[in-house]
Short mmCIF file of all heavy atoms in Angstrom, two decimals:
data_model
loop_
_atom_site.label_atom_id
_atom_site.label_comp_id
_atom_site.label_asym_id
_atom_site.label_seq_id
_atom_site.Cartn_x
_atom_site.Cartn_y
_atom_site.Cartn_z
N MET K 1 0.86 -1.28 -0.05
CA MET K 1 -0.02 0.01 0.04
C MET K 1 0.82 1.30 0.01
O MET K 1 0.65 2.21 -0.72
CB MET K 1 -0.93 -0.07 1.23
CG MET K 1 -1.85 1.09 1.32
SD MET K 1 -3.22 1.21 0.17
CE MET K 1 -4.12 -0.37 0.60
N HIS K 2 1.91 1.28 0.93
CA HIS K 2 2.83 2.45 0.96
C HIS K 2 3.47 2.76 -0.41
O HIS K 2 3.56 3.94 -0.78
CB HIS K 2 3.80 2.23 2.01
CG HIS K 2 4.67 3.44 2.28
ND1 HIS K 2 5.71 3.77 1.59
CD2 HIS K 2 4.52 4.38 3.31
CE1 HIS K 2 6.28 4.86 2.02
NE2 HIS K 2 5.51 5.24 3.11
N GLU K 3 3.92 1.68 -1.07
CA GLU K 3 4.67 1.93 -2.27
C GLU K 3 3.76 2.35 -3.31
O GLU K 3 4.12 3.30 -4.09
CB GLU K 3 5.32 0.55 -2.73
CG GLU K 3 6.16 0.71 -3.97
CD GLU K 3 6.96 -0.62 -4.24
OE1 GLU K 3 6.78 -1.53 -3.56
OE2 GLU K 3 7.85 -0.55 -5.14
N ALA K 4 2.55 1.85 -3.37
CA ALA K 4 1.51 2.30 -4.33
C ALA K 4 1.21 3.85 -4.06
O ALA K 4 0.97 4.62 -5.09
CB ALA K 4 0.27 1.47 -4.36
N GLU K 5 1.15 4.19 -2.89
CA GLU K 5 0.69 5.62 -2.65
C GLU K 5 1.93 6.62 -2.68
O GLU K 5 1.59 7.76 -3.16
CB GLU K 5 0.14 5.54 -1.07
CG GLU K 5 -0.67 6.79 -0.75
CD GLU K 5 -1.97 6.95 -1.53
OE1 GLU K 5 -2.53 6.01 -2.00
OE2 GLU K 5 -2.36 8.11 -1.69
N PHE K 6 3.10 6.22 -2.21
CA PHE K 6 4.14 7.17 -2.30
C PHE K 6 5.37 6.86 -3.24
O PHE K 6 6.24 7.60 -3.22
CB PHE K 6 4.74 7.19 -0.82
CG PHE K 6 3.72 7.72 0.18
CD1 PHE K 6 3.09 6.92 1.11
CD2 PHE K 6 3.29 9.11 0.18
CE1 PHE K 6 2.13 7.32 1.90
CE2 PHE K 6 2.45 9.51 1.12
CZ PHE K 6 1.88 8.67 2.05
N GLY K 7 5.25 5.82 -3.95
CA GLY K 7 6.26 5.36 -4.88
C GLY K 7 7.58 4.86 -4.32
O GLY K 7 8.56 4.73 -5.02
N LYS K 8 7.50 4.39 -3.01
CA LYS K 8 8.79 3.85 -2.45
C LYS K 8 8.35 2.87 -1.40
O LYS K 8 7.18 3.01 -0.79
CB LYS K 8 9.68 4.87 -1.99
CG LYS K 8 9.13 5.72 -0.76
CD LYS K 8 10.14 6.76 -0.39
CE LYS K 8 9.55 7.61 0.82
NZ LYS K 8 10.50 8.46 1.29
N VAL K 9 9.12 1.91 -1.13
CA VAL K 9 8.86 0.86 -0.05
C VAL K 9 8.88 1.53 1.29
O VAL K 9 9.72 2.38 1.44
CB VAL K 9 9.78 -0.28 -0.13
CG1 VAL K 9 9.57 -1.31 0.92
CG2 VAL K 9 9.71 -0.88 -1.49
N ALA K 10 7.91 1.17 2.13
CA ALA K 10 8.04 1.75 3.51
C ALA K 10 9.30 1.31 4.27
O ALA K 10 9.72 0.16 4.17
CB ALA K 10 6.78 1.24 4.36
N GLU K 11 9.75 2.23 5.10
CA GLU K 11 10.82 1.94 6.08
C GLU K 11 10.25 1.18 7.28
O GLU K 11 9.27 1.66 7.84
CB GLU K 11 11.55 3.18 6.57
CG GLU K 11 12.32 3.88 5.50
CD GLU K 11 13.06 5.19 6.14
OE1 GLU K 11 13.73 5.02 7.11
OE2 GLU K 11 12.90 6.14 5.52
N VAL K 12 10.96 0.13 7.70
CA VAL K 12 10.44 -0.51 8.88
C VAL K 12 11.62 -0.36 9.95
O VAL K 12 12.83 -0.60 9.61
CB VAL K 12 10.32 -2.11 8.60
CG1 VAL K 12 9.98 -2.73 9.91
CG2 VAL K 12 9.22 -2.26 7.67
N LYS K 13 11.26 0.27 11.11
CA LYS K 13 12.35 0.57 12.11
C LYS K 13 11.79 0.01 13.39
O LYS K 13 10.70 0.00 13.77
CB LYS K 13 12.43 2.05 12.22
CG LYS K 13 12.86 2.80 10.97
CD LYS K 13 12.94 4.26 11.26
CE LYS K 13 13.42 5.08 9.99
NZ LYS K 13 13.48 6.50 10.32
N ALA K 14 12.73 -0.36 14.22
CA ALA K 14 12.57 -0.69 15.56
C ALA K 14 12.86 0.55 16.40
O ALA K 14 13.93 1.09 16.45
CB ALA K 14 13.40 -1.91 16.13
N ILE K 15 11.88 1.10 17.24
CA ILE K 15 12.09 2.27 17.96
C ILE K 15 11.60 2.01 19.41
O ILE K 15 10.74 1.11 19.65
CB ILE K 15 11.42 3.45 17.33
CG1 ILE K 15 9.92 3.21 17.26
CG2 ILE K 15 12.00 3.82 16.02
CD1 ILE K 15 9.07 4.59 16.82
N HIS K 16 11.87 2.83 20.33
CA HIS K 16 11.46 2.81 21.66
C HIS K 16 10.07 3.52 21.73
O HIS K 16 10.00 4.75 21.92
CB HIS K 16 12.44 3.44 22.62
CG HIS K 16 12.04 3.39 24.01
ND1 HIS K 16 11.97 2.20 24.68
CD2 HIS K 16 11.57 4.34 24.88
CE1 HIS K 16 11.57 2.46 25.98
NE2 HIS K 16 11.32 3.77 26.13
N ALA K 17 9.03 2.77 21.48
CA ALA K 17 7.65 3.26 21.43
C ALA K 17 6.68 2.13 21.45
O ALA K 17 7.08 0.97 21.56
CB ALA K 17 7.45 4.17 20.23
N GLY K 18 5.56 2.36 21.41
CA GLY K 18 4.46 1.34 21.31
C GLY K 18 3.94 0.88 22.67
O GLY K 18 3.61 -0.30 22.79
N LEU K 19 3.83 1.73 23.62
CA LEU K 19 3.30 1.29 24.92
C LEU K 19 1.94 0.58 24.79
O LEU K 19 1.75 -0.39 25.47
CB LEU K 19 3.16 2.46 25.90
CG LEU K 19 2.52 2.32 27.20
CD1 LEU K 19 3.30 1.36 28.05
CD2 LEU K 19 2.26 3.56 27.92
N GLU K 20 1.10 1.10 23.96
CA GLU K 20 -0.22 0.64 23.88
C GLU K 20 -0.24 -0.88 23.31
O GLU K 20 -0.98 -1.73 23.71
CB GLU K 20 -1.11 1.54 22.89
CG GLU K 20 -1.41 2.87 23.39
CD GLU K 20 -0.22 3.79 23.25
OE1 GLU K 20 0.70 3.52 22.76
OE2 GLU K 20 -0.47 4.97 23.66
N CYS K 21 0.72 -1.18 22.31
CA CYS K 21 0.80 -2.39 21.79
C CYS K 21 1.31 -3.39 22.88
O CYS K 21 0.80 -4.56 22.99
CB CYS K 21 1.82 -2.49 20.74
SG CYS K 21 1.14 -1.78 19.12
N GLY K 22 2.20 -2.97 23.75
CA GLY K 22 2.66 -3.78 24.81
C GLY K 22 1.52 -4.13 25.81
O GLY K 22 1.43 -5.25 26.32
N LEU K 23 0.81 -3.26 26.11
CA LEU K 23 -0.36 -3.44 27.00
C LEU K 23 -1.38 -4.37 26.37
O LEU K 23 -1.93 -5.34 26.95
CB LEU K 23 -1.04 -2.15 27.43
CG LEU K 23 -0.24 -1.20 28.34
CD1 LEU K 23 -0.89 0.15 28.47
CD2 LEU K 23 -0.01 -1.85 29.70
N LEU K 24 -1.74 -4.20 25.06
CA LEU K 24 -2.66 -5.05 24.42
C LEU K 24 -2.09 -6.46 24.24
O LEU K 24 -2.84 -7.32 24.25
CB LEU K 24 -3.03 -4.36 23.14
CG LEU K 24 -3.88 -3.17 23.06
CD1 LEU K 24 -3.98 -2.58 21.71
CD2 LEU K 24 -5.31 -3.51 23.66
N LYS K 25 -0.84 -6.57 24.00
CA LYS K 25 -0.25 -7.93 23.76
C LYS K 25 -0.35 -8.71 25.16
O LYS K 25 -0.50 -9.91 25.03
CB LYS K 25 1.24 -7.65 23.49
CG LYS K 25 1.95 -8.92 23.12
CD LYS K 25 1.49 -9.51 21.70
CE LYS K 25 2.34 -10.54 21.27
NZ LYS K 25 1.86 -11.20 19.89
N GLN K 26 -0.37 -8.04 26.29
CA GLN K 26 -0.56 -8.76 27.57
C GLN K 26 -1.94 -9.39 27.54
O GLN K 26 -2.07 -10.54 28.03
CB GLN K 26 -0.35 -7.88 28.70
CG GLN K 26 1.10 -7.54 29.02
CD GLN K 26 1.23 -6.59 30.22
OE1 GLN K 26 0.27 -5.95 30.61
NE2 GLN K 26 2.33 -6.57 30.76
N ALA K 27 -2.92 -8.75 27.08
CA ALA K 27 -4.26 -9.28 27.09
C ALA K 27 -4.59 -10.14 25.97
O ALA K 27 -5.43 -11.11 26.09
CB ALA K 27 -5.26 -8.13 27.01
N TYR K 28 -3.91 -10.00 24.75
CA TYR K 28 -4.07 -10.80 23.60
C TYR K 28 -2.69 -11.33 23.03
O TYR K 28 -2.27 -10.93 22.03
CB TYR K 28 -4.80 -9.93 22.49
CG TYR K 28 -6.09 -9.38 23.06
CD1 TYR K 28 -6.16 -8.13 23.52
CD2 TYR K 28 -7.25 -10.21 23.04
CE1 TYR K 28 -7.42 -7.57 23.95
CE2 TYR K 28 -8.45 -9.68 23.51
CZ TYR K 28 -8.50 -8.38 23.89
OH TYR K 28 -9.76 -7.82 24.38
N PRO K 29 -2.14 -12.23 23.83
CA PRO K 29 -0.79 -12.69 23.40
C PRO K 29 -0.66 -13.43 22.04
O PRO K 29 0.37 -13.46 21.48
CB PRO K 29 -0.39 -13.64 24.51
CG PRO K 29 -1.58 -13.97 25.19
CD PRO K 29 -2.61 -12.93 24.97
N HIS K 30 -1.82 -13.86 21.50
CA HIS K 30 -1.84 -14.54 20.22
C HIS K 30 -1.78 -13.65 19.06
O HIS K 30 -1.62 -14.04 17.87
CB HIS K 30 -2.94 -15.53 20.14
CG HIS K 30 -4.38 -14.71 20.30
ND1 HIS K 30 -4.83 -14.22 21.52
CD2 HIS K 30 -5.21 -14.33 19.36
CE1 HIS K 30 -5.93 -13.58 21.33
NE2 HIS K 30 -6.22 -13.61 20.04
N LEU K 31 -1.96 -12.33 19.30
CA LEU K 31 -2.00 -11.35 18.14
C LEU K 31 -0.77 -10.80 17.71
O LEU K 31 0.21 -10.72 18.58
CB LEU K 31 -3.01 -10.18 18.51
CG LEU K 31 -4.43 -10.42 18.74
CD1 LEU K 31 -5.15 -9.11 19.15
CD2 LEU K 31 -5.05 -11.01 17.49
N ASP K 32 -0.45 -10.73 16.48
CA ASP K 32 0.72 -9.99 16.03
C ASP K 32 0.32 -8.48 15.91
O ASP K 32 -0.71 -8.18 15.48
CB ASP K 32 1.03 -10.43 14.59
CG ASP K 32 1.62 -11.84 14.56
OD1 ASP K 32 2.22 -12.33 15.52
OD2 ASP K 32 1.31 -12.54 13.53
N MET K 33 1.20 -7.59 16.32
CA MET K 33 0.92 -6.16 16.48
C MET K 33 2.05 -5.34 15.83
O MET K 33 3.27 -5.80 15.96
CB MET K 33 0.78 -5.75 17.79
CG MET K 33 -0.42 -6.45 18.49
SD MET K 33 -0.68 -5.78 20.14
CE MET K 33 -1.77 -6.95 20.78
N SER K 34 1.68 -4.23 15.43
CA SER K 34 2.60 -3.16 15.02
C SER K 34 2.07 -1.86 15.33
O SER K 34 0.94 -1.66 15.51
CB SER K 34 2.99 -3.29 13.54
OG SER K 34 1.97 -3.02 12.81
N SER K 35 2.87 -0.87 15.33
CA SER K 35 2.41 0.58 15.57
C SER K 35 2.96 1.44 14.59
O SER K 35 4.04 1.26 14.10
CB SER K 35 3.01 0.94 17.03
OG SER K 35 2.62 2.26 17.24
N MET K 36 2.18 2.41 14.14
CA MET K 36 2.55 3.35 13.10
C MET K 36 1.97 4.74 13.37
O MET K 36 1.02 4.78 14.13
CB MET K 36 2.23 2.83 11.75
CG MET K 36 0.80 2.77 11.46
SD MET K 36 0.50 2.07 9.81
CE MET K 36 -0.95 3.05 9.29
N GLY K 37 2.56 5.78 12.87
CA GLY K 37 2.12 7.04 13.13
C GLY K 37 2.97 8.17 12.52
O GLY K 37 4.04 7.85 11.94
N PRO K 38 2.57 9.38 12.74
CA PRO K 38 3.47 10.47 12.22
C PRO K 38 4.69 10.69 13.06
O PRO K 38 4.81 10.03 14.09
CB PRO K 38 2.43 11.66 12.30
CG PRO K 38 1.52 11.34 13.43
CD PRO K 38 1.40 9.83 13.27
N ASP K 39 5.57 11.48 12.52
CA ASP K 39 6.86 11.77 13.30
C ASP K 39 6.56 12.69 14.53
O ASP K 39 5.87 13.69 14.35
CB ASP K 39 7.83 12.40 12.37
CG ASP K 39 8.28 11.55 11.27
OD1 ASP K 39 8.20 10.30 11.39
OD2 ASP K 39 8.63 11.98 10.16
N ILE K 40 7.00 12.32 15.64
CA ILE K 40 6.92 13.10 16.90
C ILE K 40 8.31 13.23 17.45
O ILE K 40 9.08 12.23 17.49
CB ILE K 40 6.08 12.40 17.87
CG1 ILE K 40 4.59 12.27 17.35
CG2 ILE K 40 5.98 13.21 19.27
CD1 ILE K 40 3.58 11.32 18.25
N VAL K 41 8.60 14.53 17.92
CA VAL K 41 9.90 14.74 18.54
C VAL K 41 9.70 15.21 19.99
O VAL K 41 8.79 15.93 20.21
CB VAL K 41 10.67 15.79 17.66
CG1 VAL K 41 11.96 16.18 18.42
CG2 VAL K 41 10.94 15.41 16.28
N GLY K 42 10.46 14.68 20.83
CA GLY K 42 10.40 15.20 22.30
C GLY K 42 9.07 14.75 22.90
O GLY K 42 8.49 15.46 23.78
N ALA K 43 8.64 13.54 22.60
CA ALA K 43 7.30 13.01 23.17
C ALA K 43 7.35 13.07 24.71
O ALA K 43 8.30 12.82 25.35
CB ALA K 43 7.20 11.50 22.67
N HIS K 44 6.19 13.51 25.17
CA HIS K 44 5.88 13.57 26.68
C HIS K 44 6.72 14.60 27.34
O HIS K 44 7.06 14.35 28.57
CB HIS K 44 5.98 12.19 27.29
CG HIS K 44 5.26 11.05 26.58
ND1 HIS K 44 3.85 11.08 26.32
CD2 HIS K 44 5.73 10.06 25.94
CE1 HIS K 44 3.52 10.00 25.66
NE2 HIS K 44 4.58 9.27 25.28
N SER K 45 7.00 15.62 26.61
CA SER K 45 7.88 16.72 27.28
C SER K 45 7.22 18.01 26.91
O SER K 45 6.41 18.12 25.98
CB SER K 45 9.34 16.53 26.84
OG SER K 45 9.41 17.19 25.52
N PRO K 46 7.58 19.07 27.49
CA PRO K 46 7.11 20.38 27.25
C PRO K 46 7.53 20.79 25.86
O PRO K 46 6.73 21.62 25.12
CB PRO K 46 7.69 21.38 28.22
CG PRO K 46 8.00 20.52 29.40
CD PRO K 46 8.43 19.13 28.84
N SER K 47 8.47 20.24 25.21
CA SER K 47 8.86 20.67 23.81
C SER K 47 8.45 19.62 22.86
O SER K 47 8.89 19.65 21.70
CB SER K 47 10.40 20.66 23.79
OG SER K 47 11.04 19.45 24.13
N GLU K 48 7.43 18.76 23.12
CA GLU K 48 6.85 17.80 22.17
C GLU K 48 6.39 18.49 20.94
O GLU K 48 5.73 19.57 21.03
CB GLU K 48 5.66 17.07 22.84
CG GLU K 48 5.10 16.03 21.93
CD GLU K 48 4.12 15.06 22.56
OE1 GLU K 48 4.07 15.06 23.82
OE2 GLU K 48 3.34 14.42 21.93
N ARG K 49 6.70 18.01 19.78
CA ARG K 49 6.34 18.57 18.45
C ARG K 49 5.79 17.36 17.55
O ARG K 49 6.37 16.32 17.57
CB ARG K 49 7.48 19.30 17.82
CG ARG K 49 8.03 20.39 18.59
CD ARG K 49 7.05 21.56 18.70
NE ARG K 49 7.52 22.75 19.37
CZ ARG K 49 7.36 22.92 20.70
NH1 ARG K 49 6.62 22.13 21.39
NH2 ARG K 49 7.87 24.02 21.24
N LEU K 50 4.85 17.69 16.71
CA LEU K 50 4.39 16.83 15.77
C LEU K 50 4.57 17.40 14.39
O LEU K 50 4.34 18.53 14.09
CB LEU K 50 2.73 16.60 15.94
CG LEU K 50 2.04 15.85 14.93
CD1 LEU K 50 2.44 14.30 15.02
CD2 LEU K 50 0.54 15.95 15.05
N SER K 51 5.13 16.52 13.44
CA SER K 51 5.31 16.96 12.09
C SER K 51 4.10 17.04 11.28
O SER K 51 3.35 15.92 11.13
CB SER K 51 6.38 15.95 11.31
OG SER K 51 6.28 16.10 10.01
N VAL K 52 3.66 18.22 10.93
CA VAL K 52 2.44 18.43 10.11
C VAL K 52 2.52 17.65 8.86
O VAL K 52 1.58 16.90 8.39
CB VAL K 52 2.13 19.82 9.96
CG1 VAL K 52 0.98 20.02 9.03
CG2 VAL K 52 1.89 20.48 11.23
N ALA K 53 3.65 17.70 8.14
CA ALA K 53 3.78 16.96 6.84
C ALA K 53 3.69 15.51 7.07
O ALA K 53 2.99 14.85 6.28
CB ALA K 53 5.24 17.36 6.21
N SER K 54 4.28 14.96 8.06
CA SER K 54 4.18 13.46 8.21
C SER K 54 2.82 13.11 8.66
O SER K 54 2.42 11.98 8.40
CB SER K 54 5.27 12.99 9.19
OG SER K 54 4.97 13.29 10.58
N THR K 55 2.09 13.95 9.42
CA THR K 55 0.77 13.71 9.70
C THR K 55 -0.17 13.63 8.54
O THR K 55 -1.00 12.77 8.39
CB THR K 55 0.18 14.73 10.79
OG1 THR K 55 0.99 14.78 11.85
CG2 THR K 55 -1.28 14.50 11.10
N ALA K 56 0.06 14.54 7.61
CA ALA K 56 -0.71 14.46 6.28
C ALA K 56 -0.48 13.22 5.62
O ALA K 56 -1.35 12.57 5.00
CB ALA K 56 -0.32 15.72 5.47
N ASN K 57 0.80 12.74 5.52
CA ASN K 57 1.17 11.50 4.84
C ASN K 57 0.54 10.26 5.49
O ASN K 57 0.19 9.37 4.82
CB ASN K 57 2.73 11.31 4.75
CG ASN K 57 3.30 12.26 3.68
OD1 ASN K 57 2.59 12.73 2.79
ND2 ASN K 57 4.61 12.55 3.79
N PHE K 58 0.63 10.28 6.89
CA PHE K 58 0.00 9.25 7.60
C PHE K 58 -1.49 9.21 7.36
O PHE K 58 -2.03 8.10 7.08
CB PHE K 58 0.19 9.45 9.11
CG PHE K 58 -0.40 8.43 10.07
CD1 PHE K 58 0.12 7.08 10.04
CD2 PHE K 58 -1.36 8.80 10.88
CE1 PHE K 58 -0.47 6.21 10.83
CE2 PHE K 58 -1.84 7.83 11.71
CZ PHE K 58 -1.48 6.55 11.68
N TYR K 59 -2.09 10.30 7.30
CA TYR K 59 -3.66 10.33 7.16
C TYR K 59 -3.96 9.79 5.72
O TYR K 59 -4.83 8.96 5.47
CB TYR K 59 -4.15 11.64 7.14
CG TYR K 59 -5.66 11.73 6.79
CD1 TYR K 59 -6.58 11.35 7.62
CD2 TYR K 59 -5.93 12.32 5.54
CE1 TYR K 59 -7.88 11.50 7.21
CE2 TYR K 59 -7.32 12.43 5.17
CZ TYR K 59 -8.31 11.95 5.98
OH TYR K 59 -9.62 12.07 5.59
N ARG K 60 -3.03 10.26 4.67
CA ARG K 60 -3.21 9.73 3.21
C ARG K 60 -3.05 8.17 3.23
O ARG K 60 -3.83 7.55 2.45
CB ARG K 60 -2.14 10.39 2.47
CG ARG K 60 -2.15 9.95 1.02
CD ARG K 60 -1.08 10.87 0.34
NE ARG K 60 -0.64 10.31 -0.94
CZ ARG K 60 0.34 10.68 -1.63
NH1 ARG K 60 1.08 11.68 -1.29
NH2 ARG K 60 0.64 10.05 -2.81
N LEU K 61 -2.11 7.72 3.93
CA LEU K 61 -1.82 6.21 3.91
C LEU K 61 -3.00 5.39 4.54
O LEU K 61 -3.53 4.49 3.96
CB LEU K 61 -0.58 5.88 4.63
CG LEU K 61 -0.11 4.45 4.59
CD1 LEU K 61 0.03 3.81 3.27
CD2 LEU K 61 1.02 4.17 5.56
N VAL K 62 -3.48 5.94 5.68
CA VAL K 62 -4.50 5.24 6.52
C VAL K 62 -5.81 5.31 5.56
O VAL K 62 -6.51 4.38 5.42
CB VAL K 62 -4.73 5.77 7.79
CG1 VAL K 62 -6.02 5.36 8.49
CG2 VAL K 62 -3.59 5.52 8.68
N LYS K 63 -6.09 6.40 4.92
CA LYS K 63 -7.29 6.57 4.00
C LYS K 63 -7.19 5.73 2.90
O LYS K 63 -8.16 5.09 2.48
CB LYS K 63 -7.33 8.01 3.58
CG LYS K 63 -8.69 8.44 3.04
CD LYS K 63 -8.78 9.85 2.90
CE LYS K 63 -8.24 10.34 1.42
NZ LYS K 63 -8.45 11.61 1.07
N ALA K 64 -5.99 5.47 2.32
CA ALA K 64 -5.89 4.69 1.16
C ALA K 64 -6.16 3.15 1.58
O ALA K 64 -6.61 2.30 0.78
CB ALA K 64 -4.41 4.76 0.51
#
């Protein structure tokens, strides 16, 4: 889907995030899970910022 929408293969990265997936995995250990979203810098701090451009791309991908 990503390649069709943006003309390139999606990057898959392991990052320190996904608290919700961890909590859900405890309740549903049989499920495979992943987390995706726009770019966020400085999460959970007074300087937290969200990339508007990546949010638009994320919305476009989810909508597709």
Side-chain angles (χ1 to χ4, degrees):
M1 182 71 62
H2 187 279
E3 189 172 6
E5 195 65 29
F6 298 106
K8 62 181 181 177
V9 177
E11 290 182 51
V12 177
K13 299 178 182 178
I15 61 170
H16 182 71
L19 172 65
E20 294 83 358
C21 285
L23 293 172
L24 289 170
K25 187 72 170 175
Q26 287 180 340
Y28 303 99
H30 60 285
L31 294 179
D32 292 329
M33 298 184 190
S34 67
S35 181
M36 62 183 218
D39 296 333
I40 298 173
V41 177
H44 311 298
S45 76
S47 62
E48 181 172 345
R49 300 291 182 266
L50 175 70
S51 164
V52 174
S54 72
T55 302
N57 285 340
F58 177 68
Y59 175 76
R60 178 177 160 191
L61 182 63
V62 171
K63 191 170 92 172

